[in-house]
Amino acid sequence: MGKLLIVGTVAFDAIETPFGKTDKILGGAATFISLSAAQFGVNSGIVSVVGGDFPKSYLNRLNARNISTEGIEIIEEGKTFFWSGRYHNDLNVRDTLTTDLNVLANFNPIVPDSFTETDFLMLGNLHPNVQMAVIKQLPKKPKLVVLDTMNFWMDNTLDELMEVIAKIDVITINDEEARQLSGEYSLVKAAQKIFTMGPKYVVIKKGEHGALLFNEENIFFAPALPLEEVFDPTGAGDTFAGGFIGYLAKTDDISFENMKRAVISGSNLASFCVEKFGTERMEVLTIAEIQQRLLQFKELTQFEIELS
Amino acid sequence: MGKLLIVGTVAFDAIETPFGKTDKILGGAATFISLSAAQFGVNSGIVSVVGGDFPKSYLNRLNARNISTEGIEIIEEGKTFFWSGRYHNDLNVRDTLTTDLNVLANFNPIVPDSFTETDFLMLGNLHPNVQMAVIKQLPKKPKLVVLDTMNFWMDNTLDELMEVIAKIDVITINDEEARQLSGEYSLVKAAQKIFTMGPKYVVIKKGEHGALLFNEENIFFAPALPLEEVFDPTGAGDTFAGGFIGYLAKTDDISFENMKRAVISGSNLASFCVEKFGTERMEVLTIAEIQQRLLQFKELTQFEIELS
C-alpha cells in the first residue's frame, strides 16, 4: 500500500438545495478527497490551512479515519475558508453566494517530514502556485501525481497552471474545462491535446453522465450510478478523485487496467457522497455498502457479446 | 430469426452542419431504422408513404438490403415528406428550417399481408394515430413492440400517445422526454413511472452521453463511443433503435441479458451513422467494421474488480 499526500482546501460550507439547507458544516476539497481515499484504509495526510475558528472535533473526525492532519496549519487569529452556495431544482446548476478566502488568501503550504517521501500526491483544486509549492518540496517525484483544477484557474492563472500541468501524471477536469483547456470540442481530441501539455492520463468528469479515462492508446468509461434521488452534489467531484487515487494507493498499481478499477471506485464513492449533505454520508459509509454498490456497477455495465 | 415490421417516415432531408451541406437526400425514421436493422440480415418491411417525386433508385437501395418496400405507398400526385435543418457548432443543437409534411399529412398506413404476422414491430416516430392504426391491423400481438416517439407528440397529441404507450413493450425516448412524460427529474423515477403506463422496458437515449435500459428490476447503461469527429447526427437515434430491434429480431431472444447486447449494438451502429451525411455511412458499412467497433465498446466498458 502506498502513502498518499493530499493538498487542498479544508473549509466551512453552507449549502442550500431544494431539499433543505445547512449551517456551516465541514467541507473543502481535501476533506472530501481524504474521506473518500480513507475508505481504502490508505495512510494519508492533508496539507492545508484553517483558522482559529476551526473545531478540533473536525480534525478528530479526520484523524479517526487514519488521515493525518499534521500538515494542516492552524492560524489562530485567522478565519477558515468559507463557501456557501445554492443549488437550483436542476442540481447541475448552482449559484455561489459567498467565497471568503480568509486564511487561504496567503496560504504557504508546508509538507510535513513524514510525507515528503509520499508515493501518491493528490493536488486538489486550489491556486496553482500552492500546488507547485507542494511539488517543489518533495525531494523525489512520487509514483503518481494527480491534479484536479477548474475553469477559474484557467481564466485567471493560466501560465501558472500550465507549469503545474507539465509536472503531473493525471489531470481530472470536467468536460467543459477539457474543452476550454484544449480548444477542442471533441473530448477525444481534447484529451490528445492535453497529453501534449504533460499528463499521461486525462480523466474527464461529466457529473451524472459519468467519467472518461484516457491515455494515448486507450479510453475507458465509468458511468455514474443512476440514482433515484440526488440530495446534495457538493464534494462529488472531490470524492470521485479521492476514490480514484485512494484505490491506486491501496493497490499500489498504476497500470491502465488498474486505473479502470480506480475510476469505477471513484464513481462508486461519489454516488454515496450525493445522498446526504456535505460529508455526512461518507462518514458513516461501510465496506459492505461499497461492495454492494460495486456489484450494481458491474450489473450496470458488464455484458457478454459474441465477436466473430 | 424473427420478422421485423417498421412503420415510420421515408423522407427527403436537407442538412447543414458546420462541415458542409446537402441537397435533398434520402432520410426519414423508417429509412434509418431499416438500414440499421439490415446489418443483422433481418427480413424487414417498411410501412410508409412517399410522393411521385421519390426516386425508384432510393427504394432499390433499400430492397438491395433485404428491406421490403411493398408497404411504402406511392402517391403519384403527391410530394414526399421533406425536412431540412441546420446544426450549430455544438451539434447537439439544431434549428429546423423546413417541415413539409406533404403526403404524410393524410397518411393511412396499410400493413402488407406478408407482414401482418410479424414477430417484431418497430413504431418509428410519427403521429400516434398512425402507430395505433398499424397495431390494430395485426391479428395477434407481436413478440415485441418497440415505440419511438418525441416531445412534439407529448405536447400535441398526449391522449392518443398514451393509448399507444399502453400497448407497447419498449419505449425509446430521450432524457428530457422521459422527464416530460413522467413529471420526474430523476431518470430512475421517470422509468418507474413510465412502467405504470404500460411498457415493461424503458430505453432512455442521452445522445453523446449514451443510453439507459430499464426494466422493473434492472438497469443497464450503454455509453456512446467517444468519437474524434461527429459529422452529422441526423438519424443517430433511429439508427440506435434499428440496431436495438434488429439485434433482438436476429437473435429472437427478448431476455434482459440479450437486451443489453441489443442496446450495445444500437449504440455501436449509431456511432457509424454520425460519421457521414444522412445514410451515407450506413450504406457502405461492413460486418468487419461493426465487429471491430464492438471490440472497442468492450474495451471502453469492461473491467475486472474483486468483490469481497
Side-chain angles (χ1 to χ4, degrees):
Chain A
M1 188 176 305
K3 202 181 249 196
L4 170 62
L5 179 65
I6 299 157
V7 55
T9 55
V10 172
F12 291 132
D13 285 349
I15 302 160
E16 202 175 324
T17 79
F19 311 109
K21 58 186 292 187
T22 69
D23 291 327
K24 285 185 178 183
I25 59 173
L26 175 60
T31 304
F32 283 104
I33 292 166
S34 64
L35 285 172
S36 185
Q39 305 297 336
F40 301 105
V42 173
N43 175 12
S44 71
I46 295 177
V47 169
S48 194
V49 62
V50 295
D53 56 348
F54 195 77
K56 296 285 169 296
S57 66
Y58 284 13
L59 296 176
N60 294 342
R61 277 154 65 182
L62 298 173
N63 298 150
R65 283 166 178 79
N66 200 20
I67 300 163
S68 165
T69 56
E70 195 191 342
I72 303 184
E73 187 186 359
I74 301 171
I75 297 182
E76 289 298 344
E77 68 282 12
K79 291 178 73 182
T80 301
F81 172 50
F82 172 58
W83 174 84
S84 76
R86 183 191 294 134
Y87 290 87
H88 294 216
N89 283 328
D90 173 356
L91 292 171
N92 295 306
V93 185
R94 75 181 183 192
D95 302 319
T96 290
L97 304 176
T98 318
T99 308
D100 292 338
L101 287 180
N102 296 331
V103 293
L104 200 67
N106 298 300
F107 177 34
N108 183 22
I110 296 165
V111 177
D113 288 345
S114 53
F115 277 91
T116 51
E117 311 250 326
T118 190
D119 305 290
F120 291 82
L121 172 61
M122 177 76 223
L123 301 168
N125 173 42
L126 39 54
H127 197 299
N129 287 350
V130 173
Q131 297 173 323
M132 185 60 92
V134 169
I135 292 174
K136 288 191 170 162
Q137 286 172 55
L138 306 184
K140 73 174 180 48
K141 190 176 176 306
K143 187 175 286 190
L144 196 78
V145 181
V146 178
L147 169 78
D148 187 55
T149 188
M150 69 184 293
N151 52 0
F152 180 84
W153 309 112
M154 297 174 195
D155 293 337
N156 297 291
T157 60
L158 185 60
D159 290 348
E160 296 91 327
L161 178 61
M162 293 306 284
E163 284 176 41
V164 176
I165 289 176
K167 288 189 173 299
I168 54 117
D169 302 300
V170 184
I171 185 171
T172 76
I173 43 182
N174 74 28
D175 40 2
E176 283 318 307
E177 289 156 354
R179 288 172 174 139
Q180 178 174 349
L181 185 62
S182 66
E184 295 284 351
Y185 185 82
S186 152
L187 297 179
V188 177
K189 287 190 178 176
Q192 288 165 352
K193 194 88 162 269
I194 294 168
F195 292 141
T196 68
M197 301 172 187
K200 290 182 287 293
Y201 306 91
V202 174
V203 176
I204 299 181
K205 301 175 290 185
K206 305 200 295 172
E208 63 168 323
H209 300 303
L212 285 159
L213 165 69
F214 297 84
N215 71 0
E216 297 249 15
E217 294 82 33
N218 304 288
I219 312 179
F220 180 69
F221 177 78
L225 198 70
L227 296 171
E228 283 197 35
E229 201 90 81
V230 171
F231 188 79
D232 170 22
T234 309
D238 294 315
T239 300
F240 171 83
F244 175 75
I245 199 162
Y247 185 85
L248 294 175
K250 175 200 174 194
T251 52
D252 211 6
D253 169 2
I254 59 170
S255 67
F256 193 81
E257 277 307 302
N258 203 49
M259 282 199 188
K260 290 182 178 184
R261 295 185 271 267
V263 293
I264 291 287
S265 297
S267 197
N268 186 1
L269 290 167
S271 77
F272 288 105
C273 176
V274 302
E275 291 183 341
K276 301 266 184 185
F277 273 129
T279 62
E280 200 178 331
R281 187 68 178 93
M282 298 307 291
E283 294 194 63
V284 296
L285 190 55
T286 67
I287 298 286
E289 288 174 316
I290 295 171
Q291 291 283 326
Q292 171 57 31
R293 197 161 282 186
L294 212 43
L295 199 59
Q296 285 181 260
F297 269 91
K298 285 190 83 95
E299 286 169 357
L300 182 67
T301 57
Q302 303 303 286
F303 63 91
E304 290 296 330
I305 197 164
E306 206 179 315
L307 292 167
S308 59
Chain B
M1 187 176 306
K3 201 181 250 196
L4 169 61
L5 179 65
I6 299 158
V7 57
T9 54
V10 172
F12 291 132
D13 285 349
I15 302 159
E16 200 176 325
T17 79
F19 310 109
K21 58 186 290 186
T22 69
D23 291 327
K24 286 185 178 184
I25 58 173
L26 176 59
T31 305
F32 283 103
I33 292 167
S34 64
L35 285 172
S36 185
Q39 305 298 334
F40 301 105
V42 173
N43 176 13
S44 70
I46 295 177
V47 170
S48 193
V49 63
V50 295
D53 57 348
F54 194 77
K56 296 286 170 293
S57 65
Y58 284 14
L59 297 176
N60 294 342
R61 277 154 65 179
L62 297 173
N63 299 150
R65 284 167 178 80
N66 200 20
I67 301 163
S68 165
T69 56
E70 196 191 339
I72 303 184
E73 186 187 0
I74 301 171
I75 297 182
E76 289 298 344
E77 67 283 12
K79 290 179 73 182
T80 301
F81 173 49
F82 172 58
W83 175 84
S84 76
R86 183 190 294 135
Y87 289 88
H88 293 216
N89 283 328
D90 173 357
L91 292 171
N92 295 307
V93 185
R94 75 179 184 193
D95 302 321
T96 290
L97 304 176
T98 317
T99 308
D100 291 338
L101 286 180
N102 297 331
V103 294
L104 201 66
N106 298 301
F107 177 35
N108 181 22
I110 296 165
V111 177
D113 289 345
S114 53
F115 277 92
T116 52
E117 311 249 326
T118 190
D119 306 291
F120 291 83
L121 173 61
M122 176 76 224
L123 302 167
N125 172 44
L126 39 55
H127 197 299
N129 287 351
V130 173
Q131 297 173 323
M132 184 59 91
V134 169
I135 291 174
K136 287 189 171 164
Q137 287 172 55
L138 306 184
K140 72 173 181 49
K141 191 177 173 306
K143 186 176 286 190
L144 196 78
V145 181
V146 179
L147 168 77
D148 188 52
T149 188
M150 67 184 295
N151 52 0
F152 181 84
W153 309 113
M154 298 175 194
D155 293 337
N156 296 292
T157 60
L158 185 61
D159 290 349
E160 296 92 327
L161 178 60
M162 292 306 285
E163 284 176 40
V164 176
I165 288 176
K167 290 190 172 297
I168 55 118
D169 302 301
V170 185
I171 184 170
T172 74
I173 43 182
N174 75 27
D175 40 2
E176 283 317 308
E177 289 156 355
R179 287 172 175 139
Q180 178 173 349
L181 184 63
S182 65
E184 294 285 352
Y185 185 82
S186 151
L187 297 179
V188 177
K189 287 189 176 176
Q192 287 165 353
K193 195 89 161 268
I194 293 168
F195 292 141
T196 68
M197 302 171 187
K200 291 183 287 293
Y201 306 90
V202 175
V203 176
I204 299 181
K205 301 174 290 185
K206 305 199 296 172
E208 63 169 323
H209 300 303
L212 284 160
L213 165 70
F214 297 83
N215 71 0
E216 296 248 17
E217 296 82 32
N218 304 288
I219 313 178
F220 181 68
F221 178 79
L225 199 70
L227 296 171
E228 282 196 36
E229 201 92 80
V230 171
F231 188 79
D232 170 23
T234 309
D238 295 314
T239 300
F240 171 84
F244 176 75
I245 199 161
Y247 185 85
L248 294 175
K250 176 200 174 194
T251 53
D252 211 7
D253 169 0
I254 59 169
S255 66
F256 193 81
E257 276 309 301
N258 202 50
M259 282 199 188
K260 290 183 179 185
R261 295 185 272 268
V263 292
I264 291 287
S265 297
S267 197
N268 186 1
L269 289 167
S271 78
F272 288 104
C273 175
V274 302
E275 291 182 341
K276 301 267 184 187
F277 273 128
T279 62
E280 200 178 332
R281 187 69 179 94
M282 297 309 290
E283 294 195 62
V284 296
L285 189 56
T286 67
I287 299 286
E289 287 174 318
I290 295 171
Q291 291 283 326
Q292 170 58 30
R293 197 162 283 186
L294 212 43
L295 200 59
Q296 285 181 260
F297 269 91
K298 284 190 84 93
E299 286 169 357
L300 181 67
T301 57
Q302 304 302 286
F303 63 91
E304 290 296 328
I305 197 163
E306 207 178 315
L307 293 166
S308 59

